[in-house]
Structure formats: structure tokens, C-alpha cells
Amino acid sequence: MSFSLSVKSTIHFVGVLSFVRFSSSLLGLFTTYGTITPQSPQVEIGKNFTATCVLYETAESTADDIFWTCNGKVPEELYTKINDSAVSVTIKITPDTCKWLICNKQPRYVNQTPAIHGIMLTKGYPPEKPNNLSCMAVQSGQKISPILNCSWEPGTRDELLKTNYTLHTSWTGFNSSQKSIGYINMETFPSYCELKIWVEVANSLGKVQSETLTVGDANYLVKTNPPLNVHIYSENNFPRSLLVKWRRPIEKHFFRLKYNIRFCAVGSEDWSEVPPNDTESDVDSFRLQHLKPYTEYVVQVRCMHSIGLGYWSDWSANATWWTPEDKPSSQPDLWRVVIPSQGKSERRVQVMCKDPVESNGRIRNYSIKIQDGGRKTVLVNRSETESRKIIPLYQFVLPDDGEALIELDACNSRGMSPRASLTIPKFTHEPPSVKSLSWFTKEGRLWVEWVPHRGKARDVTEYILEWVSVSDGALDWQRERASRTGLANGNLEKFKRYSISVYPMYSGKTGKPWTEPAFLDQKAPMVGPVVNVSRCGKNDAELRWMEIPLDKQQGFITNYTIFYTMGKQEQSITVSADTYSYTLKHLTSGSKYVVRVMASTVAGDTFGPEYTFNTLEYAPGEIEGIVVLVCLAFLFLVVSLVVTCILKMERIKKKIWPPVPDPSNSTIANWSPDFPSKADPVSKENALGDVSVVEVDVFDGRSLCEEDKAGLPLKKDKYLSEEHSSGIGGSSCMSSPRQSVSDSDEGGDSGQTTASTVQYSSVVASSGYKGQTPQPCSSQAQTPSFARSESTQPLLESEEQPEGQEGSGQPHLRHPRNAYFRRLPGGSSDDDDNNSGDPGDLNQLEMEDQGLTLLQFSPLEEGSQQTTPTEEGQTPDGQLDPIPSYLPQLRGYRPQ
Amino acid sequence: MSGHVKIMYPQVSISPTARTWLSLMLVVAIHPSDAGAACGNTPCGPSLQRSLKLTRLMHKESGDLLKTYKASQGDQSDLFCQKSSNIVPDPIISGLDPSERILSIYSHCKTFLPHLTRVTEQQTDLQPPSSPLLNQLLTAQNRISGLGNQINCLYQTLFPNLPIPPEPVDGPMSVPPPQNVFQQKIYGCVVLKRFKEFLANSARELKTIKDQMCSRRKTFGHANALF
């Protein structure tokens, strides 16, 4: 590091020092101590270089004090002491040799600079010899350009030194050269003169020249223009010949020319060249022979010095012309398509053909003959460029057991072609097909291989290789003679499906075909399968998709892959190519699935559109099962309940409808002094039918309860509680006296205060009943006697028996009670008027009704004053509703 | 932009005057000894053939040159060419044997060169620089130099034991003194006319020599034995 720094500083210093010394030498200000020879040398890499440092007297030093530096101190072994004041140094020059070589002397004192003088070494290589010199002069106008252009290969080493290239000729001129090319202007091109050319390369280290290019005639370096005015002429009597004429590009006095002619049919790039020997002489025309009639040819001509030295000119411009027509020299390509008829024992035959390969002109018509029929002419009307197009000629129906011989001639303006024939054998007598058929592609072409039928191969004269495009039905064929391999020469398109067939031909008779599908090239299908779900279950779904149309498959489908996704989880299943439905299983119920199907060929895959479906929450029938089960359970429950009810009827009945004590059989009557201890047998028999409805007389009630009404606002709560407690007690004029009793039973009766559980009480006033002396309602002095029943039956008439009736003194128990029962409005009202109904009728009524519905509370007879019951019990049309004969508990017993 | 348009060519442009002087230097630079170095050893080889073809080419070009000259001299150009001049070399090839006749051709080449040069100088002053006449004159000078070398070489090949005389044997070498324009035009036409005749004679002579010498050599095998 320190060394490199010192070197840099030294170099910098030396540069400054040199400038200073140079300046000082000019101005005489500074003293120079010595010098180095040579000055600013250009040294050759790889060789030794010697420099000598000479001290002046002013240096006051000797040669022993001199040392050399060159990127560091040069070893003293390389020094050579010449005398006391001069020392030389010899170093080998390499690419890495230092740029500055400095002569130094040992300083006498500290601040004295050691450098005396330095030189800059310019390194480089001597010039290299150019090789492969070549020159060319081109035609300019009608003469040869005097400018000679030359090129050569320079040396491969880097040119570290400035190098000059000079082009020299034996014919003086002005040259301008670069590293590898140059030209020389000779004023006049030295035709027929010997010319020597060489290149000289020079730099400061030397000079070298290339090998001399000597040409005996400078014309050997000429490249002329291509031949002029190339024209082609045809002659009608020579349909296979064309005459080519041209004009030489340069005057004959310069030199003789030889020519080169090439030609090809238009559209073809396969040039044919006329043998050079045929055009070596300096000619200006040539007749091309053995051409194809009625073919457009392209001809080009070029030229060069007849000696063969120099350069070929460029090819002339294209000259095109048609050869004349000739009569067809080959058969038309006759073929047929046989289409079997559905349900008929016949075939439909379409005869078609292609122009003869050697049609030698434009085919104008075809002459066709079917079996023994007459000859028919089919005119051909088409453009010039539609040759070799398939021409449908004729269509006829051939019975399956029939055979047809087809003969065909093609005609152009010059004549008729050789006849082509084709035999369609009987359907049942078709010769056998080939044994097998296969195909492969190679270099973008379709090759077909087949194995001939064993035993019949010798009879086969040729094979027809036919291919039909599945997409558009385009058909083409070609003939292969005595071969087992055929290259389909038609314009087969990639990614299209073809049906390849091979027909063996047995002396013009068609054999059975062997057909295979084929693709010239395959890629991913054009479209993917469109999938849908045909059935979706709880955990499975059946997918269906259609086969991709054949013209969109673009290859053989190798398999289908089903992708189905739920959420972000995708699964796939691969199925074979002949599968078009698949049932996905183990799906999650009630989930959304996205499914798509990918069709694959060997060359790629294509996805079809996505299809979304949801699996069912419940499987089909599951809901119905649940409903049935629930219904069955419910039914079972109901049945069980009914059975239980039936079995426990008595108990339930007792529970719901507790036995109502028959007032007639009530023991309370026993404690009445006037009541017989035993019931009337007749009454006993009718005990069940003695259901009666308490008829509340509003007037009576009002009259009886005036006092209560008066005190109602004040004692409403109590009053209501009384109603609750007694259930019926409020309706009686004697409720007040019973208040204490009712109150005492309030707690125990609370459960019977609802409307549904109307507590039927039988209150028997101790007064006015059964012969007791009736007392006014206001009488408070008498102690009432009563008994209570838990029955919910309607109130009995004994509770509200009017005094008048009581006063009638009728001894029979039934009579006063029945006086409170009325028939329905539709019934007889006389009984009410009489207040003495027939007990038998009453019982009958009770028996018929089996309840209370037919027995109505009949307030109508009480006059218009009775408003509340009317409003409640009357329908808007004035009819009475079948309200219960007792008042609901909610209403209390106030009207009573 | 109606000014002059200078067309740039990819070649060194030289003024006609300089071109003329350079051509003179070129002619002077061609020394017979230099040309002789390129001669081959086969007399009936390409040397004689090339000389004959070059002569024919020059004859063809001299015809074109004369047409161009006449066309560029204005009216009465035919009148100029009907004159004669004693200072112009005679186009006749002299000599009794092939060596003398070949030497006569060589001498004519040497003789015609200064006259062509003189005509070129004169026409350079008379013609515009772009005149094709100047270029053709220059070409004629260059070719006559080349033909001189070719004939010299042919002579050395055919007659290796005969020295070439230092001075031309035929015609005056001196160019005419200063002339007026009329004289220049007459002089130029006479030079070119005789130059063309000389080339025609030379071609005919070389063809004869070729037929005589090479057919004889083919017949007898050794040409050098005859000389």
C-alpha cells in the first residue's frame, strides 16, 4: 500500500519535475542533472528495452549513485555501468510494465529530490500481417468502375499503437483504407491489364504487408450487373419448352460472359438450374426444355466472366411465362363416396374426381359413363387457379346386389386424357379391407401406415388413402401404389379431427375401408364440458355433462376431471373419457358446492363453466318420515289418552263432574220438619232428570235486592266477595244473612269461583219453604237455615221460590220447584202462566234436553225492565242465544 | 433552394486539372522495365490475348471518344476532322517482321500518349468540368499507357533477345506549340482520329501476329527456336 502510494506520488512528482526542468532548461532557472536516452520510446511488448541515464556534471554524482525506478526500484542486476556518468538498464517489456521509467540518484542531503529524469514507455505490438485479401470492382454504367473495393482480415491482437492500413496496387490510384476494408480509385479500370494488390500495415514499431494478390487480368475482379431485359417466349408447337432471351449487361469488348439460368414453376421455391456447361458460351438466349405444359414458370439469369474468375452478378429480375397447353397425359383421379340408404337395400353413390396430375392445360369437361349407360359430359367452369379441385360429377343409386363400372375421360383444349375407371362391387362381395391401420405425425405431416390383408395383398394394385374432416365434411384422397405407408398430402389442418380411411383397390375394384380417427396435431379442447346437476341429494349429487362436439375437441379426450369446491376446499376426481355422468358422494348436507369439469387431451386441458348447487338439508322423504312419526306418536298419545279416559271414565267423571246431590234426595230435606224423610219413589226414579234451571226473576231480584243495591257502591268489594264466596248466595235475598257463612267459607271456596267451576249451591231458605211461613226480604230477624252443595248444577228453584207460590201452600215438593222452570220460547208458555206444570212434562223436557241448552232463561216474560239479561242473551236478530240457564259467575248473581 | 446542388459520390473527388496532371504523372511513372516484370513466359499465353483484347477495347472506346469529341465541339465539327496535321503521329504500323511491327505498336503507344495528354489539357480548358469528353480522354490516356506496358511485355516475351530501343521509332514525340481554339479543335480531332486508326491497325496486327506466331508454335512446338 505504501509502495503504491509512493509510486503514484513519484509519478506525479516526476511529471511535475519534468515540466519544471523543461521549463527551467528554457528559462535557465533550474539546473538539470542528467538525461535518459532514448526519449519517449515506443517499446514492443515481449522484448527487452534498454535505457541509458547520463549524468551531467552538475549532478555532482557518479554512476554508482544512479538507481532506476519503474513501479518500484529496478533490481541492480539489470544495471550496466557504461562509464562513471552513465548507467543503462535493460528491462523486459510486458503488458504490465510500468509506464514511467525514472533515473534517480542518491540524494546528498535530506530535501534533495532523487529523480534526475524519466521517460514514458509506450508499449505495443508490431503490426500483424493481413490475410485473405480480396478485391472486387463493380460495373458502373456501361463501364467498369475504376474504384476497386478490397477487404482483408486484420490481425487479432489489440492495436495498442496507432496503426495505418494502406491499400496498394500496381496501378497507381488514390486509396482510402480502414482496418479491414479499403478502396482504391484507379481513374480507369485497368481491363486486360495485370494488377497486383496488397495491403501495408504500419505503426511505430514496424511495417508489414499482406500477400500480394496478383490477377493477370483486372477483369477477373469484376462483378457485372445482372443480364438485362430477360424475356421468355413460348411456341404453341412446343408445349414443354420456353425460350429465354436477355441482353448482356456490359459491352462485349470488356470481356466475354458466361451465364447461369435457373427456373421454377410459379409458387414453387424449388429452383432448377440449367447445367453450367450449356451456358458457358457468351450467348444471349437459351431454350428451356422438358418443362410441364401449361405451367407458369419463373426464370432468372446471372452472368460472370467467361473464365470463371471474378464474381457472379446478382440474379436478374423474375421473368414469368406459361408453357403452351398439351393434351392430358395422365388419368383423372376418379373416386366415389358410397352412402348406404336407411332401410333400403341400395346405396347412393356420389362420383367425383380431381384433374389429372398431368392435365397439361385447363380441363374443360369430363366425359363419364356409368355401367352400360350412355356417356355424359360434365362441363367444368372454374378459374385458372382452381386446378386439382374436387369436382362432384354424378350421383346415382346402386342396389346392394348391383355392381357399377364407372369410366371417366378428362378433356382440355388439346385433347382427351387416358381413361380412368372404377368398379363399385356388390355390397356383399366387397373385397376385404387392410388388416390394420395406424397413423402418426412427423414434422407436422400426417403419416398413415397399414398392413395389407394376408392372402389378398398380391391382388391389390393400389391403395386409396382418404381423409374426411369431421367438422365440415371436407373430403380428399390420394393414391398410394404398392406401399404400406402414405403421407397425407392434403391441406390437413391442425387440431381438426379427421377420419382416415384406407381402401385397397383390386384392379380398379374398391375394397372395404378401414377407418380410424386422427389429428394432425392436438391441443387443449376449444371448450370445456358444460356440467349440470341432474339430481341433488343430501350427501350426493349426480353430475351430467355432454360430450364436447367433435369439431371442438381439438384432440382425443383422454379423461375428464371433476373439480368440486365447498368453501375453499377443492377436490377432484378423474374419470375416463367415455364417462358423461358421475355421482359425487359424501357431500356435506345443506352446503353450497361449485363444480366444473375439465376435459383433457394429451396437449392440454380446458375447464368447462362452473355450476353451483346446494345439497339438501334433508334427504327426500326425511321430512315426511318425521311428520309421520310425530303423527303416529300423537295418535298414540291420543289413543292412549282416550283409552285411559275410557278406562278411568268413572274416576275422571267424578273428578270433573262430581256427583251432584239430588236435591230431591238431599238429606237436607230431612232436617226440614215437613219434608219426608224418604224421597218419593217416583222422584227417585226421576232424580237424574230433575235437572232444573234456576229462573231468576229480575223483578224479584230487584225487589229483593233493593237493599243490596242501595248498599252496593259502598260494599261492592264485599259484595263481590260474597258472590265469589257463595257463588249463588248473592242472588238470594237471604244472602245478607248468609254473609257470615259465606265469609267463613271464602277460603275454601276460592277454587270454585271461576266461571267454569260455578259452584252450584243449593240454598234453602229456612223461611218460606216447605210450608214454612214466608218472610219478607227485609226480615232480618229470622235465622236462616241452609245447606250447601258442591254441585255445579243450575240453581234449584227452591232457592228463589216466590212468596206467592210459597204461600199457595201446596204440599207437593215438585210444584214450587217446577214453577221456576220454563220452556223455550218455542215451547208452551202456559205452564208458566199456570205455575203448575205437569211434572211429567217437565221431566220429559229435561230428559230430552239432557242438559241445559234447551232450557233458557226466559226473561221476556218479565217485561222490558229486564235489560241486562236480554242484552246478553239475545242475538242481534232478536233470537235468544242458548245461554246457560244460570248466570256466569263473572256476572255474579246480582240480577238474581 | 434553386441553387447548385453538389452530388456527393463515395469516391475521391479530383478536379479535372489535377486529374490531368496526375494522369501525366501516372504515365511517367509507368516504366517499361516495371511492366516487363509482370510479363509471363508463355508468348501465346494470356499476354498476347490480353493485348489484343485491350486493343480492341481501346478501339471501341476510341470510336466513342471521337463521337463524343465531335459532339462536344459544336458546329462544324466534321470540318475540323477533315483537316490534317503533320505533328500528329501516323497511325500506320510499320515494319517487316513481327518484331518490328510489335515494336512499331509500342512506339505508337509512346508517341500518342503526349498528344492525348495535350488534347486533354486543351479540352479541359474548353469543356465544362462535367463533360464526359474529359473522362473519356483520361481513360484513353490510361489505357494507352496500359497498352504500352502490355506490348512491351509481349515484345519481351516473344523476342527476349531483342532489346527495346530507347526512343520511339515512329512519329514525332513533340507536342504542338500553343494554338488557338480553332487549331486546338482541329488538332484534337486529328489526334483522336489517328488514334482510332492506330488502334484498329494495332488490333489487326496483333491478330495477325497471334495467328502467325501462335499457330506456328502450336504446329512446331517451340516458338523460341524460330527467333
Side-chain angles (χ1 to χ4, degrees), chain A residues 147 174 188-189 192 194 216, chain B residues 11 22 38 50 142-143 150:
Chain A
I147 297 175
F174 309 94
T188 300
F189 187 78
Y192 299 114
E194 186 184 71
Chain B
Q11 59 190 48
L22 287 171
R50 286 201 301 266
N142 292 329
R143 294 229 189 273
Q150 293 276 5

Side-chain angles (χ1 to χ4, degrees), chain A residues 269-287:
Chain A
E269 295 182 355
D270 188 13
W271 291 96
S272 299
E273 197 163 314
V274 174
N277 294 336
D278 296 345
T279 53
E280 276 187 348
S281 59
D282 197 352
V283 295
D284 57 0
S285 65
F286 189 82
R287 183 177 292 279

Side-chain angles (χ1 to χ4, degrees), chain B residues 90-104:
Chain B
D90 194 313
I92 298 174
I93 306 299
S94 61
L96 297 176
D97 54 33
S99 63
E100 291 177 352
R101 302 181 77 83
I102 291 175
L103 196 58
S104 175

Side-chain angles (χ1 to χ4, degrees), chain A residues 62-189:
Chain A
T62 63
D64 297 333
D65 297 328
I66 292 175
F67 65 95
W68 294 86
T69 57
C70 178
N71 279 358
K73 189 173 183 180
V74 179
E76 293 185 359
E77 304 89 80
L78 303 178
Y79 298 173
T80 301
K81 182 177 179 182
I82 298 174
N83 52 39
D84 290 340
S85 63
V87 173
S88 66
V89 64
T90 301
I91 59 175
K92 185 168 185 178
I93 303 299
T94 66
D96 299 327
T97 300
C98 63
K99 190 174 182 179
W100 289 93
L101 180 64
I102 301 168
C103 174
N104 306 277
K105 70 181 182 67
Q106 298 292 344
R108 292 299 179 95
Y109 45 88
V110 177
N111 293 330
Q112 188 178 15
T113 57
I116 298 174
H117 200 263
I119 56 174
M120 189 175 72
L121 303 178
T122 303
K123 295 167 290 184
Y125 295 101
E128 288 186 283
K129 181 180 177 182
N131 297 311
N132 295 332
L133 174 64
S134 62
C135 297
M136 181 177 69
V138 298
Q139 181 181 347
S140 174
Q142 291 298 316
K143 295 183 178 179
I144 301 171
S145 170
I147 297 175
L148 187 67
N149 297 290
C150 299
S151 63
W152 57 88
E153 294 177 0
T156 56
R157 287 187 308 214
D158 290 337
E159 294 177 349
L160 300 176
L161 303 176
K162 183 181 179 182
T163 305
N164 294 319
Y165 294 84
T166 308
L167 183 64
H168 294 275
T169 65
S170 58
W171 195 274
T172 304
F174 309 94
N175 75 78
S176 175
S177 302
Q178 298 175 12
K179 186 175 181 181
S180 61
I181 59 172
Y183 69 87
I184 184 166
N185 189 343
M186 298 176 291
E187 292 290 335
T188 300
F189 187 78

Side-chain angles (χ1 to χ4, degrees), chain A residues 702-753:
Chain A
R702 184 174 55 186
S703 62
L704 291 174
C705 300
E706 283 179 356
E707 294 177 2
D708 295 334
K709 286 182 180 178
L712 183 60
L714 299 175
K715 299 190 291 183
K716 184 176 181 180
D717 293 339
K718 187 62 180 177
Y719 184 79
L720 292 174
S721 71
E722 288 172 0
E723 290 177 347
H724 278 282
S725 63
S726 64
I728 58 174
S731 64
S732 173
C733 297
M734 295 174 287
S735 59
S736 292
R738 295 188 299 244
Q739 181 175 358
S740 60
V741 177
S742 178
D743 291 341
S744 64
D745 295 335
E746 191 173 355
D749 294 337
S750 61
Q752 299 175 355
T753 56

